[in-house]
Amino acid sequence: MDSSQDDGVYQPLLQPDQFTPSTESNNGELETVLSDVETPLFLRLRKATMIESKLLFKLAAPAVIVYMINYLMSMSTQIFSGHLGNLELAAASLGNRGIQVFAYGLMLGMGSAVETLCGQAFGGRKYEMLGVYLQRSTVLLTLTGVLLTLIYVFSEYILLFLGQSPEIASAASLFVYGLIPQIFAYAVNFPIQKFLQSQSIVAPSAYISAATLFVHILLSWLAIYKLGIGLLGASLVLSLSWWIIVAAQFVYIVTSERCRETWGGFSVQAFSGLPSFFKLSAASAVMLCLETWYFQILVLLAGLLENPELALDSLSICLTIAGWAFMISVGFNAAISVRVSNELGAGNPKSAAFSVIIVNIYSFITSVILAIIVWLCRDILSYAFTKGEKVSAAVSDLCPFLAVTLVLNGIQPVLSGVAVGCGWQTFVAKVNVGCYYIIGIPIGALFGFYFKYDAKGIWTGMIGGTLIQTVILVWVIFRTDWTKEVEEASKRLDKWSNKKAENNF
């Protein structure tokens, strides 16, 4: 992507007298290898691939575990609800994907501003700003959570207004009420998550999430089967589990030596410059929300079909599986965002470009393998969620669309991670509006309702929008001048540095 020019000469962000935490991502070895024109190209690429793979998997593997386990908590809650009955499964699906994901997308999107700023600040060795960014984002997300609570409180009326079945809407709203505490867990968790990831600290979060998953499953079993609290108990346990993760991660930050230079304690600067910080957060939120909400609209549209319960059950199972596989791509997304932002902040354009290529290759191969597995298991997938044979047949019928979605999801999230690392959120938001909401959803509605292809027709339109968006992002990244992106990272860090923050705010 072309960036605005700077008349001055670019100066490296790194200063030799600054403290450098122990991290392999900042030593410049990859940039040195890629710049060594005297070494044959094949040898350069082989050595660079080994270096990048080592850096990437140290980030991606724990990040994938974190996102998958967090998703498995929601998935297990849906499975527990599904074994209460088909109505409960439809209600949990609609509550999760029709209402809760609205907050998830908004909060995660706003938290992505921390990912851009912290990643580039860490690469540029402006370590003291990371804690300030974390706190500013938490303040903003908490205020946003207060407003989102109103949507949860009036969720039944919202679902009825959208044309959902009164019986399903009533049950879904009960499930959503128990998720209100989860909103504020999101407000703290996502900034903490991005704060740690930008420093390549991901393993502790993986351990915390893994331990919490076992606690979550045990508490869910007790609440639903022993105490008989039903849907409300299931969602309350999910909220509690998220707060356990938040508390444990925060304890790690304030006690760990690895965060000594980046966490300086609570600061009044967290409440300064909020309007300017909100602009960047809003751009991140719009970009990610448009992506997160896109396939959730598929669920809402399915609720308007002639047989909404069957459509919702089959789609929710397929999208739950897609969401589980999507967490792998989200892990790669987090890894490439950190890698790109760190390398741009450190003034390494060749390393940033090379990281993009390598992570896309790994993510694509993984997604193809998953798509093949799903295709082979298409006749038995649904029985993990429900015993209904009609639902099983409907899920099997949708599996070709699920497989195509898995392959696309192996590429698209990684490209979005590159966008976050570079700070392109506003541009990607515009692309998402055009591809998803002007092309994808209208075409899906046309095939689903007018041509009577039902859920398959709706999903076809959605896949078309995602494919067009992916092609556009591939083209833009292919034409990116990474040297100019390094210059933009330098100017962005200057704008958000401590000194200017104090002078401007």
Side-chain angles (χ1 to χ4, degrees):
M1 174 180 292
D2 291 336
S3 301
S4 57
Q5 300 274 1
D6 187 346
D7 294 334
V9 178
Y10 169 70
Q11 297 295 328
L13 300 175
L14 306 181
Q15 302 299 325
D17 58 339
Q18 289 179 297
F19 170 78
T20 304
S22 176
T23 173
E24 293 183 79
S25 61
N26 276 350
N27 61 13
E29 181 184 2
L30 179 59
E31 190 75 11
T32 301
V33 171
L34 292 170
S35 301
D36 183 10
V37 295
E38 295 182 359
T39 303
L41 178 61
F42 175 77
L43 295 178
R44 269 189 288 158
L45 292 179
R46 186 178 67 177
K47 186 174 182 180
T49 301
M50 293 176 61
I51 295 171
E52 178 59 32
S53 297
K54 182 179 179 181
L55 294 172
L56 176 63
F57 281 102
K58 281 191 174 181
L59 285 168
V64 167
I65 292 172
V66 169
Y67 284 109
M68 287 186 67
I69 290 176
N70 290 347
Y71 187 82
L72 280 173
M73 288 198 303
S74 295
M75 186 175 175
S76 64
T77 298
Q78 192 165 324
I79 291 174
F80 276 116
S81 301
H83 284 284
L84 292 173
N86 285 347
L87 173 63
E88 286 79 3
L89 175 61
S93 171
L94 191 59
N96 245 331
R97 298 190 174 277
I99 298 295
Q100 180 264 353
V101 79
F102 179 90
Y104 181 90
L106 185 63
M107 292 294 199
L108 181 59
M110 293 184 71
S112 294
V114 182
E115 194 167 3
T116 301
L117 293 173
C118 283
Q120 294 185 0
F122 189 76
R125 300 186 181 181
K126 298 188 177 181
Y127 306 120
E128 71 283 354
M129 288 306 298
L130 272 71
V132 176
Y133 296 150
L134 164 62
Q135 293 173 65
R136 282 182 186 164
S137 183
T138 301
V139 171
L140 279 178
L141 265 64
T142 301
L143 294 175
T144 305
V146 174
L147 299 177
L148 287 174
T149 301
L150 297 176
I151 296 175
Y152 279 51
V153 171
F154 295 103
S155 58
E156 181 175 359
Y157 302 100
I158 293 172
L159 292 173
L160 290 173
F161 176 76
L162 294 174
Q164 304 302 312
S165 160
E167 187 179 16
I168 297 177
S170 177
S173 65
L174 181 65
F175 181 83
V176 167
Y177 293 154
L179 296 179
I180 291 177
Q182 187 188 47
I183 302 174
F184 299 97
Y186 286 162
V188 185
N189 179 74
F190 292 137
I192 286 178
Q193 204 172 61
K194 304 306 181 184
F195 169 85
L196 292 172
Q197 286 175 359
S198 66
Q199 303 171 67
S200 302
I201 303 174
V202 283
S205 295
Y207 298 140
I208 291 169
S209 295
T212 305
L213 176 62
F214 289 106
V215 175
H216 172 75
I217 292 174
L218 175 61
L219 293 178
S220 296
W221 178 77
L222 288 173
I224 295 174
Y225 294 115
K226 295 301 179 181
L227 300 179
I229 305 177
L231 281 176
L232 181 61
S235 56
L236 283 172
V237 169
L238 184 58
S239 294
L240 174 62
S241 299
W242 272 89
W243 272 109
I244 292 174
I245 292 174
V246 168
Q249 288 184 131
F250 183 72
V251 169
Y252 175 83
I253 288 174
V254 298
T255 59
S256 173
E257 281 294 313
R258 298 181 68 183
C259 298
R260 177 171 56 87
E261 295 296 319
T262 54
W263 174 258
F266 294 102
S267 171
V268 293
Q269 278 191 295
F271 300 95
S272 65
L274 291 179
S276 297
F277 199 86
F278 174 76
K279 292 179 181 178
L280 183 61
S281 297
S284 301
V286 170
M287 185 202 85
L288 199 59
C289 283
L290 292 175
E291 295 178 6
T292 306
W293 298 339
Y294 183 49
F295 273 92
Q296 314 318 320
I297 293 176
L298 175 60
V299 175
L300 294 175
L301 289 177
L304 305 177
L305 295 172
E306 292 182 1
N307 190 349
E309 187 171 312
L310 179 62
L312 282 172
D313 285 348
S314 58
L315 276 173
S316 68
I317 291 172
C318 286
L319 290 180
T320 298
I321 295 168
W324 177 78
F326 184 72
M327 292 302 105
I328 298 177
S329 298
V330 171
F332 281 114
N333 169 293
I336 191 58
S337 178
V338 172
R339 291 289 300 122
V340 169
S341 60
N342 282 178
E343 297 295 353
L344 291 179
N348 299 327
K350 289 184 175 65
S351 298
F354 190 75
S355 297
V356 172
I357 296 172
I358 295 301
V359 75
N360 271 287
I361 292 174
Y362 284 133
S363 184
F364 178 73
I365 292 173
T366 304
S367 66
V368 170
I369 293 172
L370 290 173
I372 293 173
I373 293 173
V374 164
W375 174 257
L376 294 175
C377 300
R378 62 188 180 278
D379 294 327
I380 60 174
L381 287 175
S382 69
Y383 291 110
F385 299 85
T386 181
K387 299 177 181 178
E389 293 185 3
K390 289 184 178 180
V391 175
S392 177
V395 169
S396 180
D397 200 32
L398 289 175
C399 269
F401 301 88
L402 174 59
V404 173
T405 299
L406 291 180
V407 174
L408 286 176
N409 282 351
I411 305 172
Q412 187 273 335
V414 175
L415 301 179
S416 295
V418 176
V420 171
C422 295
W424 298 345
Q425 289 94 326
T426 301
F427 167 77
V428 178
K430 294 176 182 178
V431 173
N432 289 352
V433 169
C435 296
Y436 291 166
Y437 297 89
I438 297 179
I439 297 176
I441 292 175
I443 291 178
L446 181 67
F447 276 87
F449 294 97
Y450 184 79
F451 291 109
K452 304 296 182 181
Y453 288 112
D454 297 330
K456 291 187 288 186
I458 298 172
W459 206 337
T460 299
M462 298 291 196
I463 289 174
T466 304
L467 179 61
I468 295 172
Q469 187 247 25
T470 301
V471 170
I472 291 174
L473 289 183
V474 168
W475 176 247
V476 168
I477 291 173
F478 176 75
R479 298 181 66 247
T480 296
D481 185 332
W482 292 99
T483 300
K484 290 182 180 179
E485 291 303 321
V486 169
E487 295 174 5
E488 288 300 302
S490 176
K491 289 186 284 187
R492 187 178 293 113
L493 286 177
D494 285 340
K495 175 182 177 181
W496 289 95
S497 65
N498 246 331
K499 181 179 179 180
K500 291 197 174 185
E502 292 172 354
N503 292 338
N504 294 337
F505 303 132

